[in-house]
């Protein structure tokens, strides 16, 4: 840790990993309801557990983004954070909002707008927290007079994420209009500006961990951001197929959604190249695992699996089925959960006495999560294929079809349990070492990682 104010990031990470654990509890609870009978049917029905599962995901990932930004921006700008006090006030607002919203869901207090179920008071608290956050980061960069490309991409993504939350604050009485504008927030977050946030963190980690040339990393960032804007924005139309909008959205959504994986493939390529060049020379190999894992699993989950069912001719069968859950789980985990855990793994040795190279528990958490998520993805895929055939082709009723595919939910619960153990190990590994919060005055700049000779790279 080069600057004392970077220590605020630890508390954001601590809240994020705790909420990650809560999200997994409600995810497992939701999965078991597919098998029945459900003793909690009238206490915690599926719609409530799923709502908490998906909303806590958004809350902890954004909390992780905030913590990672509070770590990265002082390091990139080479200055202390503008206001540590504001950062802690923001965290308190965020925690109160998150806990209060979850408790409200237990009493059915929500808007019913999928993934944006937060009641208006919670949404206003989110706006206040985001404004404090953007002000604090903006003033930090302004004070330093140093503005790097990874910072620019990261700040652009965070700023646009805040702007794109505006449609979620409005109330629409027409269902089609509501669905239309809901995707301005949800799609343009997860398949647009959040990819800019991921790209900013990925570039920062690769520069620090692989000794990659900053100029090369910045050029890759420009390519990724360009592709995100071209494909991601117009690709929003692949959500519009079946909600009553004009027919011209059909080809637009199909073509531009197909281009979205190109940016993700580019991201995976530049991560792989950087790591090959460095020869994995950096001691923090656990952070390297999460960094490369994020790039590769994003290509698989968001890219290939998204492409597999986004074309109109395929999507007319798979839309709203478990195939969507297959793509959503793999994509969100690879792109956002893994990049947050990469930033945590990179920063944690500066906050605690955890060895820089990582621990056996940390590596076990990585591989168990990866294996569990891959198994969950296959479970959703096989269950979804069966569901599409039975419901959409054979015309079987929803509940009858669910009985036929229950065996796949047994596999889902087994693999989800493996994933949950991996998450538990990550949380334990995070909290088990005592804090030290030492500022390294003897290391004013990141240590360069020796690059491998050109012949070795080839």
């Amino acid at each position: 840790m080069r600057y004392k104010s970077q220590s605020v990031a630890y508390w954001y990470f601590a809240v994020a990993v705790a909420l990650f654990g809560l999200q997994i509890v409600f995810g497992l609870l939701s999965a078991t309801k597919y098998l029945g009978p459900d003793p909690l049917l009238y206490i915690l029905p599926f719609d409530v557990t799923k709502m908490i599962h998906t909303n806590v995901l958004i809350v902890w990932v954004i909390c992780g983004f905030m913590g990672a930004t509070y770590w990265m921006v002082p390091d990139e700008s080479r200055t202390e954070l503008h206001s540590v006090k504001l950062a802690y006030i923001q965290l308190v607002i965020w925690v109160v909002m998150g806990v209060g919203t979850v408790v409200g869901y237990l009493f059915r207090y929500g808007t019913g707008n999928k993934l944006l179920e937060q009641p208006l008071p919670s949404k206003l608290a989110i706006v206040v927290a985001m404004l404090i956050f953007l002000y604090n980061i903006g003033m930090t960069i302004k004070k330093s007079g140093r503005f790097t490309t990874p910072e620019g991409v990261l700040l652009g993504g965070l700023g646009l994420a805040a702007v794109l939350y505006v449609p979620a604050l409005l109330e629409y009485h027409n269902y089609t209009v509501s669905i239309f504008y809901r995707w301005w927030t949800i799609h343009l977050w997860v398949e647009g500006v959040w990819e800019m946030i991921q790209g900013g963190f990925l570039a920062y980690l690769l520069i620090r961990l692989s000794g990659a040339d900053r100029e090369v990393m910045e050029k890759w960032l420009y390519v990724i951001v360009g592709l995100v804007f071209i494909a991601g924005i117009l690709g929003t139309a692949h959500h519009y197929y079946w909600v009553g909008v004009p027919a011209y959205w059909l080809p637009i959504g199909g073509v531009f959604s197909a281009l979205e994986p190109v940016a993700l493939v580019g991201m995976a390529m530049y991560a792989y190249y950087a790591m090959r060049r460095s020869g994995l020379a950096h001691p923090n190999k656990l952070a390297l695992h999460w960094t490369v894992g994020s790039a590769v699993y994003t290509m698989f989950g968001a890219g290939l699996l998204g492409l597999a069912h986004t074309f109109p001719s395929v999507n007319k069968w798979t839309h709203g089925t478990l195939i969507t859950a297959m793509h959503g789980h793999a994509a969100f985990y690879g792109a956002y959960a893994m990049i947050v855990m990469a930033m945590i793994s990179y920063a944690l040795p500066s906050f605690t006495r955890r060895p820089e190279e990582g621990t056996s528990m940390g590596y076990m958490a990585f591989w168990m999560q990866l294996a569990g998520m891959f198994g969950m993805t296959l479970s959703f895929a096989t269950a979804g294929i069966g569901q599409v055939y039975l419901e959409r082709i054979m015309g079987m009723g929803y509940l009858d079809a669910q009985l036929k595919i229950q065996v796949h939910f047994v596999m889902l619960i087994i693999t989800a349990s493996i994933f949950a153990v991996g998450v538990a190990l990550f949380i334990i590994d995070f909290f088990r070492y005592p804090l030290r919060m030492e500022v390294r005055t003897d290391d004013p700049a990141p240590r360069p990682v020796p690059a491998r000779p050109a012949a070795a790279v080839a």
Side-chain angles (χ1 to χ4, degrees):
M1 186 166 65
R2 297 168 61 201
Y3 301 98
K4 185 179 179 181
S5 57
Q6 285 179 291
S7 62
V8 74
Y10 174 84
W11 303 107
Y12 279 82
F13 290 151
V15 171
V17 298
L19 291 174
F20 190 14
L22 181 66
Q23 184 219 346
I24 299 307
V25 169
F26 279 94
L28 279 170
L29 186 58
S30 300
T32 57
K33 291 178 181 291
Y34 278 95
L35 296 179
D38 183 7
L40 299 177
L41 180 61
Y42 298 107
I43 302 172
L44 283 174
F46 179 80
D47 63 313
V48 173
T49 60
K50 181 177 180 292
M51 180 166 59
I52 294 174
H53 175 63
T54 54
N55 280 263
V56 171
L57 165 66
I58 293 171
V59 171
W60 87 255
V61 166
I62 295 179
C63 190
F65 284 167
M66 291 172 176
T69 304
Y70 280 137
W71 167 270
M72 172 179 156
V73 167
D75 197 36
E76 283 283 284
S77 293
R78 299 176 186 172
T79 186
E80 294 286 358
L81 196 62
H82 171 69
S83 173
V84 173
K85 183 179 179 181
L86 275 179
Y88 282 121
I89 291 172
Q90 174 202 332
L91 180 60
V92 171
I93 293 172
W94 194 258
V95 171
V96 171
M97 177 279 301
V99 173
T101 304
V102 169
V103 172
Y105 290 156
L106 295 174
F107 294 95
R108 318 299 191 269
Y109 182 47
T111 64
N113 196 7
K114 187 179 178 184
L115 297 175
L116 296 173
E117 288 98 344
Q118 308 88 24
L120 184 60
S122 296
K123 289 180 177 178
L124 294 177
I126 291 170
V127 171
V128 171
M130 286 302 297
L131 288 176
I132 293 173
F133 175 61
L134 292 173
Y135 171 79
N136 207 358
I137 292 301
M139 291 302 293
T140 302
I141 294 172
K142 181 182 178 182
K143 178 178 70 173
S144 73
R146 186 173 189 268
F147 191 45
T148 66
T149 299
E151 277 183 312
V153 172
L154 174 62
L155 197 60
L158 292 166
L160 287 171
V163 170
L164 290 168
Y165 192 65
V166 172
L169 299 173
L170 306 177
E171 184 178 351
Y172 309 96
H173 298 289
N174 183 289
Y175 182 72
T176 297
V177 174
S178 175
I179 292 296
F180 185 90
Y181 287 113
R182 183 170 72 88
W183 291 117
W184 283 31
T185 298
I186 299 302
H187 171 90
L188 290 174
W189 266 5
V190 301
E191 296 179 63
V193 296
W194 280 20
E195 288 184 11
M196 293 172 61
I197 296 170
Q198 183 199 16
F201 290 143
L202 195 62
Y204 169 80
L205 287 168
L206 290 175
I207 290 168
R208 293 299 188 278
L209 295 171
S210 72
D213 184 80
R214 183 177 284 271
E215 249 185 77
V216 174
M217 292 296 103
E218 289 175 354
K219 287 174 183 175
W220 272 109
L221 268 182
Y222 294 138
V223 171
I224 290 167
V225 171
L227 287 169
V228 164
F229 271 97
I230 293 169
I233 293 175
L234 290 173
T236 309
H238 79 246
H239 298 288
Y240 292 163
Y241 295 162
W242 320 122
V243 296
V245 297
Y248 57 74
W249 286 116
L250 199 67
I252 292 174
V255 170
F256 285 96
S257 293
L259 292 176
E260 285 184 42
V262 177
L264 307 176
V265 170
M267 192 179 293
M269 284 174 58
Y270 101 114
Y272 174 77
Y273 169 78
M275 293 307 170
R276 285 270 299 182
R277 183 176 179 274
S278 72
L280 300 178
H282 196 281
N284 196 339
K285 290 184 172 54
L286 184 56
L288 283 169
H289 276 67
W290 286 111
T291 302
V292 179
S294 175
V296 174
Y297 213 84
T298 299
M299 181 182 68
F300 168 68
L304 297 179
L305 295 184
L307 184 64
H309 83 114
T310 196
F311 287 109
S313 57
V314 176
N315 193 258
K316 70 179 181 180
W317 303 104
T318 62
H319 194 82
T321 67
L322 292 163
I323 295 294
T324 304
M326 166 202 75
H327 163 54
H329 278 74
F332 224 107
Y333 175 71
Y336 308 124
M338 290 187 80
I339 199 65
V340 169
M341 286 187 277
M343 288 295 293
I344 291 173
S345 298
Y346 176 70
L348 196 58
S350 296
F351 298 139
T352 70
R353 300 194 181 280
R354 197 208 80 179
E356 188 172 14
E357 63 274 12
T359 64
S360 57
M361 183 180 288
Y363 287 105
M364 192 179 300
F366 173 82
W367 289 112
M368 290 191 76
Q369 284 190 42
L370 208 60
M373 181 54 68
F374 188 71
M376 289 166 63
T377 303
L378 292 181
S379 302
F380 278 122
T382 51
I385 291 167
Q387 182 186 16
V388 168
Y389 179 76
L390 294 173
E391 285 185 32
R392 305 287 168 88
I393 297 175
M394 299 298 292
M396 188 178 289
Y398 173 80
L399 291 177
D400 291 331
Q402 290 299 310
L403 287 173
K404 300 292 185 184
I405 62 175
Q406 270 194 333
V407 64
H408 299 298
F409 286 99
V410 175
M411 184 168 76
L412 174 66
I413 291 170
I414 292 170
T415 53
S417 298
I418 295 171
F419 180 80
V421 172
V423 172
L425 291 175
F426 186 88
I427 295 171
I428 293 168
D429 197 49
F430 180 90
F431 287 109
R432 69 175 174 152
Y433 290 97
L435 294 176
R436 63 175 178 184
M437 302 292 187
E438 293 176 358
V439 177
R440 296 178 59 177
T441 54
D442 61 324
D443 189 16
R447 288 171 294 170
V449 178
R452 296 170 69 190
V457 175

